[in-house]
């Protein structure tokens, strides 16, 4: 979100914020990249260190996504690029939103989605964390929502808990 409309440039130092499971998997096949685990609330890097930061499917799992984003903003170069993927399960147009109103909690219980963001809450969270919003893209895939809800409902009914992400679970 920071300067995402800037002219294309060579990115030299990238931080990919992921889960512990992803880090363990990536260390096995690092292809020469330096991979290390750390605390998202206190990253072991000096300020303005990274040219780009990528966050995919992480913020919905955090108790304090605002604190994490402020820390990410601290280590991101002021002219750097920030890209994140956040499910908008708290959106009025989300199947998850309506099912939660009826008491459905499978995604929270089985996948650890403790935050349910809406478009507005994400925008406010990013701005309040110091990001300038240049480009925002949203998509709603109703079929994908039905598949997701069905998957977690079935998992919950058979008492299965995910130890890894959904994508990794399906590969096993």
């Amino acid at each position: 979100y920071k300067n995402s409309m800037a002219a294309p440039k060579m990115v030299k130092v990238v931080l990919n914020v992921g889960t512990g499971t992803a880090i363990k998997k990536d260390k096995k096949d690092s292809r020469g990249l330096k991979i290390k685990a750390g605390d998202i609330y206190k990253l072991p890097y000096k300020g303005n260190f990274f040219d780009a930061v990528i966050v995919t499917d992480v913020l919905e799992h955090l108790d304090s996504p605002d604190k994490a984003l402020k820390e990410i903003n601290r280590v991101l170069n002021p002219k750097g690029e920030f890209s994140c993927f956040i499910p908008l399960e708290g959106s009025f147009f989300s199947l998850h939103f309506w099912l939660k109103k009826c008491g459905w909690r499978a995604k929270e219980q089985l996948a650890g989605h403790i935050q349910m963001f809406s478009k507005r809450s994400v925008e406010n969270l990013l701005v309040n964390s110091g990001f300038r919003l240049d480009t925002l893209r949203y998509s709603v895939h109703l079929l994908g929502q039905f598949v997701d809800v069905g998957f977690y409902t079935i998992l919950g009914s058979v008492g299965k808990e995910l130890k890894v992400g959904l994508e990794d679970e399906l590969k096993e």
Side-chain angles (χ1 to χ4, degrees):
Y1 293 108
K2 235 184 197 181
N3 293 330
S4 61
M5 297 300 287
K9 62 182 177 181
M10 178 56 119
V11 174
K12 297 176 184 172
V13 185
V14 178
L15 173 63
N16 184 359
V17 177
T19 64
T21 303
I23 289 171
K24 288 176 190 170
K25 180 181 165 223
D26 290 345
K27 277 188 174 184
K28 292 178 184 173
D29 184 27
S30 67
R31 296 186 179 125
L33 298 174
K34 293 179 184 176
I35 298 173
K36 63 165 87 168
D39 181 350
I40 194 166
Y41 300 116
K42 190 173 181 186
L43 296 169
Y45 304 100
K46 64 182 180 181
N48 304 323
F49 186 77
F50 292 97
D51 297 314
V53 177
I54 302 165
V55 178
T56 306
D57 285 324
V58 173
L59 299 176
E60 66 274 13
H61 298 275
L62 302 178
D63 290 323
S64 302
D66 55 331
K67 186 177 173 185
L69 283 168
K70 286 175 184 169
E71 180 64 358
I72 288 167
N73 196 14
R74 180 189 71 78
V75 300
L76 182 61
N77 181 309
K79 294 187 180 191
E81 304 271 341
F82 177 64
S83 177
C84 66
F85 178 85
I86 305 168
L88 300 179
E89 295 167 342
S91 169
F92 182 81
F93 297 104
S94 167
L95 183 58
H96 299 86
F97 172 84
W98 292 105
L99 288 173
K100 186 168 183 176
K101 291 222 176 267
C102 297
W104 186 81
R105 299 264 188 283
K107 195 83 180 258
E108 179 181 343
Q109 294 166 343
L110 300 171
H113 284 211
I114 59 174
Q115 304 290 338
M116 289 189 64
F117 295 108
S118 66
K119 177 181 182 248
R120 178 173 287 149
S121 68
V122 166
E123 289 173 359
N124 289 337
L125 183 64
L126 290 167
V127 168
N128 292 336
S129 298
F131 291 92
R132 189 182 80 239
L133 307 181
D134 289 337
T135 304
L136 300 171
R137 294 189 188 117
Y138 301 95
S139 64
V140 177
H141 301 285
L142 189 56
L143 177 60
Q145 292 180 45
F146 276 107
V147 169
D148 190 63
V149 166
F151 178 79
Y152 284 100
T153 300
I154 291 168
L155 280 182
S157 69
V158 297
K160 178 140 174 75
E161 196 172 323
L162 290 180
K163 303 290 187 228
V164 296
L166 173 59
E167 296 82 7
D168 292 332
E169 182 75 14
L170 293 173
K171 287 179 190 175
E172 293 181 358

